[in-house]
Amino acid sequence: MNAHTSVPHATRPWWESGVVYQIYPRSFQDGNGDGVGDLEGIRQRLDHVADLGVDAIWLSPIFPSPMADFGYDVADYCGVADIFGDLDQFDALLEAVHERGLKLLLDFVPNHSSTEHPWFIESRSSRDNPKRDWYIWRDPAPDGGLPNNWTSDMGGPAWAFDAHTGQYYLHTFLTEQADLNWRNPEVRKAMTDVLRFWFDRGVDGFRIDVMWHCIKADGLPDNPVNPDFRPEMGEKFMVLQHHSANQPEVHQVAHSFRQIADEYGQRLLVGEICLPVEQLVRYYGDPDTPGVHLPFNFQLLDAPWNAQALARIITDYEAALPPGGWPNWVIGSHDAPRIAGRLGEAQARVAAMLVLTLRGTPTLYQGDELGIGRVTIPPDRIRDTQDLRQPGLGLGRDGSRTPMPWDDSLNAGFSATEPWLPLNDDWQARNVAAQGADPSSMLNFYRCLLRLRRDCKALNCGDFALLPGDHDVLTYERREDGQRLLIALNLTDQPRKLIIPADATVAERLLSTLTSIGGEGVLAPNEGVVLRLESK
Ligand code: NOJ
């Protein structure tokens, strides 16, 4: 048995037993009839979030922005984009969130700003401008070419030439997103002020965008060429990001964020970090220099869907966690293909049961609670710049960003006008109202699962142990205060044996992914169950 024990906490921080729900503001609810979601719309739909039974909302960026990357190109870190509302509407939203006992996290984008941010406008105005060094500027190579071989994650070189000052600036993402220079103390101070601005307003934490990119290697040496590169991967993968990301000094940056969060007490920092597990867990920091509370664990997003692979991922991840490091699991996001599109609806239920019964904080993504699958975006409606600038590679993210379907009225109740992206094709049946009325729907399954998780300490903070199961059944136990729960997930569309630990009997079947369940000792095809055990 492979056991992982949760350290007992007298006062556990809220996020350890909590569930985070990501809202993509453009696509949640349009409150002013322009076809794009906004803060007022989110406020109007908060009951959906509260009824679902999650604990915290993370909002993708809401700040003023030219929207080249839909808000991940920030032009003012301390404001609200007109398209989303204003600071008064933000305050009203925050109050309404707190009234419902929920928490609110914002998206902090420290690696880069928009090239329309006043800081960058100043920086590019002349080589001796005081803000020149706030961004990463370099002379052309001696032959007039690029300063080094780094490629942008959005395709093409990571450098853009500024004819006015005769230098290149670095942009890890779009040319409209210039990388800030985190080695400059004034940048650190300015960003510290940003965190304080929002903490002082009452936000409960931040998701921190691409934090492993914040510091680059001194001297900006060429990255090693990727020997396995294939064009269909996208130009990002032409080189290995050895020098352009994940530098040792980034942990000081993480620690500086943590110090500010800790000053405010019980504020959560979630780091977006896409690295192999052994490097990912370093972002928890050390006891003396703690980093973020939760470095996002994205492994389920593309895990091979079989029990052996999942067991290995879980075991390796748990084993890699530093003492006191609290695990977390992500099942969807605005960047990843929809889970129901990847696995089909039946296994998407199993995936929901997995993510909500593993040890650690789950992050859910809006619309997954309805089982929205793959949405095909007609070419003339593609909006994602990552897709538009590298067409034909299938890198588009619009399919996961389609508007929430609320009911079967005009535009699914999302907006009075044509939404900025098309709806899911099956919105007339797959919407919140229809699923709310159907006891066997995905939505009601999510609600039951979240209620169960909230009610059972064994699920939200208990110990975890993998158990042997039938072929392609992922089986594990969660325990707390004498409560024993068995979770058995049939990852196939064939019946499988349900194996109960020899020292226990089944006292109660608490939840199944299916309404008609397998018989005694059997899991039906695609069935996942949560069982209460009694020790013999
Ligand atoms: C990660 C965000 O999730 C993604 O949407 C964005 O394009 C990049 N960071 C750049 O900010």
Side-chain angles (χ1 to χ4, degrees), residues 218-232:
D218 255 338
L220 313 183
D222 273 353
N223 273 325
V225 169
N226 179 0
D228 302 321
F229 173 71
R230 285 171 283 109
E232 62 272 24

Side-chain angles (χ1 to χ4, degrees), residues 69 72 109 112 154 173 177 207 209-210 272 334-335 397 401:
D69 192 18
Y72 286 97
V109 189
H112 45 269
M154 304 290 203
F173 295 89
Q177 293 166 295
R207 174 265 193 188
D209 190 64
V210 297
E272 189 208 11
H334 65 294
D335 292 330
R397 300 169 293 181
R401 299 174 176 182

Side-chain angles (χ1 to χ4, degrees), residues 70-92:
F70 296 122
Y72 286 97
D73 47 326
V74 179
D76 171 4
Y77 286 95
C78 296
V80 172
D82 292 342
I83 201 157
F84 293 139
D86 56 29
L87 276 172
D88 288 340
Q89 285 172 337
F90 174 78
D91 290 338

Side-chain angles (χ1 to χ4, degrees), residues 8-250:
H9 285 265
T11 48
R12 254 172 201 287
W14 59 264
W15 57 84
E16 291 197 357
S17 55
V19 177
V20 178
Y21 179 82
Q22 182 191 355
I23 288 184
Y24 195 66
R26 294 183 73 85
S27 299
F28 200 62
Q29 173 65 45
D30 176 12
N32 66 357
D34 62 359
V36 176
D38 48 41
L39 299 185
E40 177 52 21
I42 295 170
R43 199 181 62 79
Q44 291 166 9
R45 295 292 190 186
L46 277 183
D47 285 342
H48 170 71
V49 183
D51 292 348
L52 190 57
V54 298
D55 301 276
I57 295 169
W58 146 37
L59 292 183
S60 280
I62 57 166
F63 317 108
S65 162
M67 301 288 169
D69 192 18
F70 296 122
Y72 286 97
D73 47 326
V74 179
D76 171 4
Y77 286 95
C78 296
V80 172
D82 292 342
I83 201 157
F84 293 139
D86 56 29
L87 276 172
D88 288 340
Q89 285 172 337
F90 174 78
D91 290 338
L93 172 63
L94 184 59
E95 195 181 329
V97 166
H98 285 164
E99 269 168 15
R100 286 167 176 78
L102 300 168
K103 309 282 186 190
L104 189 70
L105 311 179
L106 291 183
D107 210 317
F108 181 46
V109 189
N111 177 68
H112 45 269
S113 78
S114 162
T115 49
E116 291 186 26
H117 194 297
W119 297 342
F120 187 79
I121 293 172
E122 270 194 58
S123 183
R124 90 184 310 170
S125 66
S126 72
R127 287 197 186 202
D128 54 11
N129 183 277
K131 290 211 169 49
R132 185 67 170 179
D133 184 53
W134 281 40
Y135 293 85
I136 301 175
W137 291 96
R138 286 296 179 275
D139 286 333
D143 66 357
L146 300 163
N148 68 20
N149 71 349
W150 296 1
T151 51
S152 155
D153 281 20
M154 304 290 203
W159 295 96
F161 189 64
D162 176 58
H164 173 60
T165 55
Q167 285 189 313
Y168 286 91
Y169 67 86
L170 180 70
H171 60 91
T172 300
F173 295 89
L174 298 171
T175 46
E176 294 91 336
Q177 293 166 295
D179 281 42
L180 282 150
N181 176 13
W182 274 85
R183 294 185 185 272
N184 180 316
E186 291 175 14
V187 168
R188 293 187 182 212
K189 165 77 177 68
M191 285 304 216
T192 301
D193 292 346
V194 169
L195 291 176
R196 285 191 198 288
F197 174 86
W198 292 107
F199 278 141
D200 286 337
R201 263 194 136 78
V203 308
D204 301 287
F206 291 91
R207 174 265 193 188
I208 306 172
D209 190 64
V210 297
M211 15 180 336
W212 84 110
H213 276 283
C214 282
I215 297 261
K216 287 76 178 161
D218 255 338
L220 313 183
D222 273 353
N223 273 325
V225 169
N226 179 0
D228 302 321
F229 173 71
R230 285 171 283 109
E232 62 272 24
M233 297 161 111
E235 288 169 349
K236 162 185 173 178
F237 293 99
M238 286 173 85
V239 293
L240 303 170
Q241 299 187 330
H242 284 190
H243 301 302
S244 50
N246 195 32
Q247 297 302 300
E249 299 93 325
V250 76

